[in-house]
Amino acid sequence: MEPIIESQDNQLGKLQCNSNSVQTISEDYDEAIYQKAITLYKKPFLQLIQEAAVVHKENWPEADIQRSALLSIKTGSCPEDCSYCPQSARYETDIKKHPLMEVNDIVEKAKAAKANGAERFCMGAAWRKPPRGEQFDRVLDAIREVKSLGMEACVTLGLLNEEQALKLKEAGLDYYNHNVDTSKDYYSKVITTRKFQDRVQTLRHVRNNDINVCCGGILGMGESSDDRMKLIAFLATMDPQPESVPINFLVKFDGTPLENTKDLDILHFVRTIAVARILLPKARIRLSAGRMDMSREAQILCLTAGANSIFSGEVLLTSPLPGYTFDNQLIDDMTKPLDKENLNVL
Ligand code: SF4
């Protein structure tokens, strides 16, 4: 197999990858896709949901909802300044910090997640970029162990270089999560210690090593609807598009700069999910952080608008989740027919 070579003069980030196909991850969105996103976003709500439902049915006829679990394998003390994140060392928050977990402890959590129906196990570490040496090797071991359980493995470790991406691939990694969080225009309002372009470069390394891309954002950080559509247009412009698109509803942690941000109207959140479903038809749209601030009915609306995956469990990195019992019922309510017993219930 030929070595992977990134062209140095190509602003669009066209990569010559192992399969000889050309993959493109541009820092910018395609204008036509952006205009389409805006047109969809402005439609009457019912029309938008109907259009999203048609695309959903065409591309996901089995109408399932995938469950993933996400474990924070190293929490807190991160040098970055993401305004929403309680793990940044720059903010006074009450999260419980811990160093990188041992592999055996990670595997125990993965087994428990599998027993509760999770098909994918995601591991997140609060780093700007993974350190070289023993800690990175430990993550590689954890990936191998999770794979040996028959689960899909995903990690989110911050910025990667090409060599690290290759090692992750060789360890059997299925997905790398690397959210761009918001539009390129709004990015510097949320994070100043890295640039949107830095995130894009890591996404190129991930793609270049044939690892599936999990990339999405956070809504409700004070961005405009236009920013939300630029985010979706960026994701939809990627070629190939990300296989997995987490959409988070801002969790306002005390001590972070975004703790007093004005609430986003949930219908704008749902509209964004519907546009994502239409413009990223093959992606698993993941209803991620923020479910604790949504009613059961709002979550059902998100799943009706085209989200087809949830993070399940008690906690999503540092954000609380509704828990397995709630999630089991939610998924049953969405995917199972009513039986005779249900018909006798008031
Ligand atoms: S979101 Fe990630 S990179 Fe940003 S401060 Fe939190 S842990 Fe660090």
Side-chain angles (χ1 to χ4, degrees):
M1 206 172 280
E2 289 298 308
I4 298 156
I5 300 165
E6 186 172 340
S7 70
Q8 294 184 339
D9 57 355
N10 193 331
Q11 291 303 308
L12 285 179
K14 289 194 174 197
L15 306 176
Q16 198 69 43
C17 73
N18 334 30
S19 57
N20 289 331
S21 65
V22 174
Q23 304 185 25
T24 309
I25 304 183
S26 168
E27 288 164 14
D28 299 308
Y29 53 79
D30 179 279
E31 181 62 24
I33 294 175
Y34 164 65
Q35 291 300 337
K36 177 95 193 286
I38 291 286
T39 303
L40 288 166
Y41 193 83
K42 291 196 302 195
K43 284 197 173 199
F45 187 79
L46 189 51
Q47 268 186 33
L48 174 59
I49 300 298
Q50 285 174 334
E51 285 190 34
V54 170
V55 174
H56 198 159
K57 191 169 180 196
E58 274 172 15
N59 291 278
W60 300 90
E62 62 279 24
D64 67 325
I65 296 170
Q66 190 198 44
R67 260 188 266 217
S68 300
L70 174 55
L71 174 68
S72 181
I73 58 174
K74 182 263 175 189
T75 304
S77 308
C78 180
E80 301 285 76
D81 71 350
C82 310
S83 308
Y84 52 83
C85 183
Q87 300 201 65
S88 168
R90 295 160 192 255
Y91 314 134
E92 291 275 327
T93 64
D94 60 4
I95 54 148
K96 212 170 149 209
K97 299 174 195 168
H98 64 78
L100 184 63
M101 291 170 66
E102 297 300 328
V103 174
N104 285 349
D105 296 331
I106 296 171
V107 172
E108 287 311 307
K109 296 283 186 186
K111 283 181 182 167
K114 186 179 182 191
N116 280 294
E119 299 160 32
R120 183 177 304 173
F121 193 67
C122 309
M123 296 163 269
W127 286 319
R128 171 177 165 81
K129 57 184 181 182
R132 292 180 186 276
E134 189 278 330
Q135 292 196 69
F136 188 62
D137 291 345
R138 211 187 306 171
V139 174
L140 298 176
D141 284 345
I143 292 168
R144 290 185 200 101
E145 292 290 335
V146 168
K147 292 294 293 178
S148 75
L149 298 176
M151 302 180 85
E152 289 181 333
C154 173
V155 293
T156 180
L157 310 174
L159 301 168
L160 293 182
N161 60 32
E162 187 77 29
E163 182 195 350
Q164 288 166 326
L166 177 61
K167 284 188 173 167
L168 290 168
K169 176 66 182 177
E170 288 172 348
L173 187 72
D174 296 294
Y175 287 80
Y176 193 80
N177 166 263
H178 202 59
N179 293 336
V180 289
D181 293 338
T182 187
S183 72
K184 186 178 169 186
D185 296 346
Y186 198 67
Y187 200 79
S188 62
K189 304 271 191 327
V190 181
I191 299 145
T192 67
T193 47
R194 58 170 188 268
K195 294 191 165 61
F196 189 88
Q197 290 85 332
D198 299 327
R199 298 297 267 191
V200 171
Q201 189 56 36
T202 288
L203 292 170
R204 290 175 185 149
H205 293 316
V206 170
R207 248 318 164 223
N208 207 22
N209 284 283
D210 285 336
I211 300 170
N212 292 312
V213 169
C214 175
C215 181
I218 305 173
L219 311 187
M221 298 192 292
E223 78 287 347
S224 64
S225 295
D226 191 52
D227 287 310
R228 289 190 277 281
M229 290 307 96
K230 284 176 177 166
L231 166 67
I232 300 300
F234 164 78
L235 298 170
T237 300
M238 284 167 64
D239 182 15
Q241 294 183 337
E243 286 77 12
S244 173
V245 175
I247 310 264
N248 297 275
F249 192 75
L250 176 69
V251 178
K252 298 175 198 173
F253 284 97
D254 290 347
T256 61
L258 295 186
E259 68 174 316
N260 295 315
T261 308
K262 189 168 173 279
D263 284 341
L264 175 68
D265 182 337
I266 192 71
L267 291 190
H268 283 289
F269 187 79
V270 177
R271 278 180 184 275
T272 306
I273 287 177
V275 175
R277 169 48 64 224
I278 295 167
L279 296 181
L280 295 138
K282 302 278 187 202
R284 279 275 179 197
I285 307 287
R286 303 189 175 280
L287 183 55
S288 303
R291 285 200 292 132
M292 290 298 277
D293 293 324
M294 294 179 205
S295 67
R296 168 177 167 271
E297 290 74 17
Q299 295 179 47
I300 286 175
L301 200 47
C302 295
L303 296 168
T304 306
N308 60 351
S309 172
I310 60 170
F311 278 101
S312 206
E314 307 300 329
V315 71
L316 180 72
L317 290 180
T318 52
S319 308
L321 285 173
Y324 289 117
T325 306
F326 177 94
D327 291 343
N328 290 343
Q329 187 63 52
L330 180 74
I331 291 178
D332 283 357
D333 288 344
M334 289 296 298
T335 59
K336 292 202 171 153
L338 291 178
D339 56 25
K340 192 158 177 282
E341 214 172 90
N342 293 117
L343 300 181
N344 294 327
V345 175
L346 279 181

